[in-house]
Amino acid sequence: MKEQKSMISSTLLLTAVNLLSQLMGFGCRIGISRLAGAEVMGVYMLILPAYGVLRAAAISGPAVAVASAAGQLSGGHGPGKPEAVLYAALKLFAGGWLLLSVPIVLLGDAISVRLLGDARTMLGLTATLPCLLLSGVEALHKQYFYAMGEIRTPAVIELGEQLIQALGALALLALFPQAVEEEQAALIILGSLGGELYSAVALHRAQRRLTGRQLPLNAGRLPGLNRRLLTIAVPISLASVLGSVLSAANAVVIPNRLVHAGLSVEGATEEYGVLFGMTMPLLMMPTCFVGALCTLLLPNLSRRSVQEGAADCRRQILHILKLVSAILLPILLCLNLWGGPLCAVLFQDQRAGDGIGLLSLVVLLNCWDAILGTSLNGLGGQRESSAVGILCGAVQLFLTILLTGRWGIQGCINSLLIAAGLETLLRWQLMHRLCSKACEKTAKRGLKPFPW
């Protein structure tokens, strides 16, 4: 009971931090648009998807590995071992960052022109590399703190980071008003570098205070540790990269298929903007706590799998699914009743809110899927969960091409619903099977310590 109350309070804290961070980011974008204009904002927005792919490739896998492995070690072994996981994961991330940096530096012109479609993105794309390095150090340290049950320290540092990033970007734009578009887009990214540096240094110092010592020099030599981290990180990173690519392809395909369905180019762009820029953001607002809950659930399940076993983990997963449903179902029901008129008032567009009933189901299924995917990562089912994510991303792209071209925006909504339902169902079956097998092994052999 005490652990459940702690998890609830930690989730509320992270949810509040996420909301404040979003508000600061929104204010920063307003300032950027006024200081630099829409054209610079457009160049900057072209760089962000590429940076997202780089983050997915370099950071997502090692971050999950730290949360899972450090959580298991903190639950089953003495002090010191979770720091070994952090140290080994930092080395793994550094190697991945170097591999990604080489093509960006050598082929920056070609990537900017041929892939991003604008040569002015080259300088900003190169500027993302130091941000990526510091962001990775920050992300791995955060996951370590979450695995150790320390939430307030990274939460406070996160707010400081967001504030420094916003002020840094705005200050550089104000200091160099005569810079051309390419330089201004790079200045926005370099302005955020101060926040990343502050967060990485502050988290490292906080980790030193928490453990009272530096990371052990021989941490990466613990038997099986590097292999275990690679086993977790590689499928997660591959799935994240492929998922980002499929998501980007899906975003490009939808307007084209709407044109094929009979809309003009301008009409297709408007329909796309109404669906993903107006209706979906309103429905996603009540789900802001789910991301925070997943952040804490991963190390918590990893720790409990060592201490209590799979049966206890399954009970906790079912409890969290019921809790999420109890919170979201009444809110989504209210949005079904009044969300259409509310969208029309907020966005001054009568089409906002169309299809909100089916989209509410999509949002609920995505929240369930997020909980189940996190649970699989915490219980050692990273490969299976990654395979499901890639499969359902491909299914959604196929259905978008097929249904949107035939039925327009309603076909697009149907493709979202079918893909979300399939992904949730497959992950539920995987979670049930994984827990059942673990319970059988536990009944036969008893609980074993983590094999390091």
Side-chain angles (χ1 to χ4, degrees), residues 216-268:
L217 294 177
N218 63 342
R221 300 176 185 174
L222 291 176
L225 176 56
N226 289 330
R227 180 176 55 83
R228 175 63 177 168
L229 293 179
L230 285 171
T231 301
I232 298 173
V234 170
I236 295 293
S237 293
L238 288 176
S240 296
V241 171
L242 290 174
S244 298
V245 172
L246 288 171
S247 178
N250 198 63
V252 171
V253 161
I254 291 173
N256 292 333
R257 299 307 293 169
L258 288 174
V259 171
H260 187 271
L263 295 178
S264 65
V265 175
E266 294 79 8

Side-chain angles (χ1 to χ4, degrees), residues 275-333:
L275 177 62
F276 291 99
M278 299 179 186
T279 309
M280 284 299 289
L282 179 67
L283 290 171
M284 291 300 294
M285 284 184 64
T287 70
C288 60
F289 73 96
V290 176
L293 184 59
C294 289
T295 299
L296 299 172
L297 179 62
L298 175 56
N300 183 272
L301 280 178
S302 299
R303 182 168 54 251
R304 291 172 76 101
S305 67
V306 174
Q307 294 176 332
E308 306 294 339
D312 183 75
C313 291
R314 179 161 53 187
R315 284 193 295 270
Q316 186 185 22
I317 294 167
L318 292 175
H319 175 74
I320 289 176
L321 287 172
K322 292 177 182 178
L323 177 64
V324 169
S325 302
I327 294 173
L328 286 182
L329 282 173
I331 299 175
L332 292 176
L333 179 60

Side-chain angles (χ1 to χ4, degrees), residues 6 16 40 55-56 63 77 115 163 170 187 190 222 246 259 276 302 307 312 346 360 376 393 422 450:
S6 175
V40 173
R55 280 186 60 91
H77 291 268
L115 295 182
L163 181 61
L170 297 176
L187 287 174
L190 289 175
L222 291 176
L246 288 171
V259 171
F276 291 99
S302 299
Q307 294 176 332
D312 183 75
L346 290 176
S360 298
L376 287 170
L422 177 63
F450 204 70

Side-chain angles (χ1 to χ4, degrees), residues 52-247:
V53 173
L54 292 175
R55 280 186 60 91
I59 299 176
S60 59
V64 172
V66 170
S68 178
Q72 287 174 322
L73 287 176
S74 66
H77 291 268
K81 293 289 182 65
E83 290 80 62
V85 171
L86 176 60
Y87 184 75
L90 286 170
K91 292 195 297 183
L92 174 64
F93 161 72
W97 178 81
L98 286 173
L99 289 176
L100 290 172
S101 299
V102 171
I104 298 298
V105 173
L106 297 180
L107 305 174
D109 283 331
I111 294 173
S112 299
V113 175
R114 296 180 182 178
L115 295 182
L116 301 183
D118 195 322
R120 294 174 296 178
T121 59
M122 188 196 71
L123 191 60
L125 184 62
T126 305
T128 62
L129 294 178
C131 289
L132 181 66
L133 177 63
L134 293 172
S135 182
V137 174
E138 167 207 344
L140 297 185
H141 276 82
K142 281 183 180 178
Q143 294 301 326
Y144 165 80
F145 276 104
Y146 297 148
M148 300 300 291
E150 176 59 43
I151 308 301
R152 292 187 179 182
T153 298
V156 172
I157 293 175
E158 170 72 17
L159 291 178
E161 174 195 352
Q162 294 297 323
L163 181 61
I164 294 172
Q165 284 183 342
L167 294 178
L170 297 176
L172 286 179
L173 289 175
L175 287 173
F176 300 98
Q178 302 303 320
V180 297
E181 289 85 0
E182 179 182 12
E183 295 170 343
Q184 286 184 316
L187 287 174
I188 296 172
I189 295 171
L190 289 175
S192 67
L193 189 62
E196 300 286 2
L197 179 61
Y198 158 76
S199 182
V201 173
L203 285 168
H204 176 67
R205 291 173 63 87
Q207 184 273 327
R208 290 276 303 277
R209 289 194 298 270
L210 181 66
T211 59
R213 60 182 180 276
Q214 297 187 23
L215 294 172
L217 294 177
N218 63 342
R221 300 176 185 174
L222 291 176
L225 176 56
N226 289 330
R227 180 176 55 83
R228 175 63 177 168
L229 293 179
L230 285 171
T231 301
I232 298 173
V234 170
I236 295 293
S237 293
L238 288 176
S240 296
V241 171
L242 290 174
S244 298
V245 172
L246 288 171
S247 178

